[in-house]
């Protein structure tokens, strides 16, 4: 079954840390770039971070640069997002999304999404 | 803050057609392909259109996409109550080296 399942969310205090995981199954994980996308309550979608299929390149949104770290373990078909120095504005549902393209970013899209995991930053 | 602009809402009666616009710039829509996503209440987004006008096999041909210059459009024909959802456009932004989403459009079936 082709799917991705996120875990690791929860409630954390400002300046705290969390590590999100996204376990993939049913497809060749190591052939796809992986991204994290978040959605604050009642708001739109916001791209957070991305990692190439082999982990060689990583990109971050300005809003999380220096605080969040994306990584992957292709032997375990899992992508991670380490969230440090959390702020109240990081409260959101976090989705992992599979990136598919014809080799260059200009043709890319998210063709598979996890169900999402909630992160709440509150004192 | 989204760099792609969509109308907040559109509506039409069952069976009618709606179109949703997505306006960007030369660094995103102008130089990269656009994808569209449907998000039903309380669920994860779902891919509807990719590379401007292509549909995944499971998406009915009632959904269509087009792109011209720095704008893109999603069309939904034969509107059904099950189409009530939020719709987002998205594309890679070459200047930002990241993916950008539209502001989102809520579709209501009257």
């Amino acid at each position: 079954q082709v799917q991705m399942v996120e875990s690791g969310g929860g409630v954390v205090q400002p300046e705290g840390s969390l590590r999100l995981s996204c376990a993939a199954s049913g497809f060749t994980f190591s052939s796809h770039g992986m991204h994290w996308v978040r959605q604050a309550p009642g708001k739109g979608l916001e791209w957070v971070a991305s990692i190439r299929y082999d982990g060689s390149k990583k990109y971050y949104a300005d809003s999380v640069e220096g605080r969040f770290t994306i990584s992957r373990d292709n032997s375990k078909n899992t992508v991670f997002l380490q969230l440090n120095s959390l702020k109240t504005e990081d409260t959101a549902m976090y989705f992992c999304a599979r990136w598919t393209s014809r080799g260059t970013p200009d043709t890319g899209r998210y063709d598979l999404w996890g169900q999402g995991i909630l992160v709440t930053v509150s004192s | 803050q989204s760099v792609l602009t969509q109308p907040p809402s559109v509506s039409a009666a069952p069976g009618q057609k709606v179109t949703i616009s997505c306006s960007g710039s030369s660094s995103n829509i102008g130089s990269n392909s656009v994808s569209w996503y449907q998000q039903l209440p309380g669920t994860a987004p779902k891919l509807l259109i990719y590379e401007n006008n292509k549909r995944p096999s499971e998406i009915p041909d009632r959904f269509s996409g087009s792109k011209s210059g720095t704008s893109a459009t999603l069309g939904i024909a034969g509107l059904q109550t099950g189409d009530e959802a939020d719709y987002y456009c998205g594309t890679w932004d070459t200047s930002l080296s990241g993916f950008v989403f539209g502001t989102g459009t809520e579709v209501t079936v009257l």
Side-chain angles (χ1 to χ4, degrees):
Chain A
Q1 185 179 1
V2 178
Q3 65 176 6
M4 300 189 299
V5 179
E6 299 96 337
S7 60
V11 181
V12 61
Q13 293 187 337
E15 295 303 314
S17 298
L18 275 178
R19 190 193 197 203
L20 305 184
S21 300
C22 170
S25 59
F27 64 94
T28 305
F29 179 75
S30 59
S31 295
H32 290 267
M34 293 297 296
H35 295 219
W36 287 93
V37 175
R38 70 183 180 183
Q39 186 170 36
K43 302 297 184 182
L45 301 173
E46 179 189 16
W47 171 78
V48 174
S50 65
I51 186 167
R52 280 191 72 184
Y53 67 96
D54 58 359
S56 61
K57 286 192 176 181
K58 305 172 186 181
Y59 299 97
Y60 299 92
D62 288 346
S63 57
V64 307
E65 179 83 56
R67 300 188 299 120
F68 291 8
T69 302
I70 190 171
S71 61
R72 65 189 297 160
D73 184 339
N74 284 348
S75 68
K76 296 181 179 179
N77 292 345
T78 302
V79 61
F80 305 97
L81 187 66
Q82 178 69 41
L83 291 65
N84 295 333
S85 302
L86 281 160
K87 306 175 181 181
T88 55
E89 53 263 40
D90 294 319
T91 293
M93 185 72 76
Y94 285 74
F95 299 97
C96 61
R98 185 178 74 176
W99 179 255
T100 294
S101 73
R102 290 190 284 110
T104 54
D106 61 308
T107 63
R109 67 274 190 182
Y110 301 120
D111 63 351
L112 182 67
W113 296 70
Q115 84 285 356
I117 191 76
L118 184 61
V119 171
T120 302
V121 183
S122 173
S123 55
Chain B
Q1 184 175 344
S2 301
V3 299
L4 305 181
T5 303
Q6 299 178 230
S9 63
V10 297
S11 61
Q16 298 299 303
K17 180 177 182 179
V18 295
T19 59
I20 301 171
S21 60
C22 175
S23 178
S25 67
S26 58
S27 66
N28 42 67
I29 294 178
S31 50
N32 299 297
S33 66
V34 176
S35 49
W36 289 90
Y37 304 87
Q38 176 193 60
Q39 188 176 31
L40 297 169
T43 69
K46 173 184 176 181
L47 178 66
L48 282 181
I49 297 289
Y50 66 99
E51 292 184 25
N52 305 324
N53 55 18
K54 298 178 181 177
R55 284 177 291 104
S57 58
E58 68 274 19
I59 302 300
D61 60 5
R62 300 188 297 108
F63 295 90
S64 62
S66 64
K67 178 184 130 174
S68 178
T70 59
S71 294
T73 302
L74 173 71
I76 310 174
L79 205 59
Q80 302 175 1
T81 55
D83 296 332
E84 289 199 326
D86 293 324
Y87 293 80
Y88 296 89
C89 59
T91 187
W92 188 259
D93 190 297
T94 307
S95 296
L96 299 175
S97 290
F99 197 84
V100 290
F101 287 99
T103 48
T105 298
E106 180 181 23
V107 170
T108 301
V109 181
L110 300 173

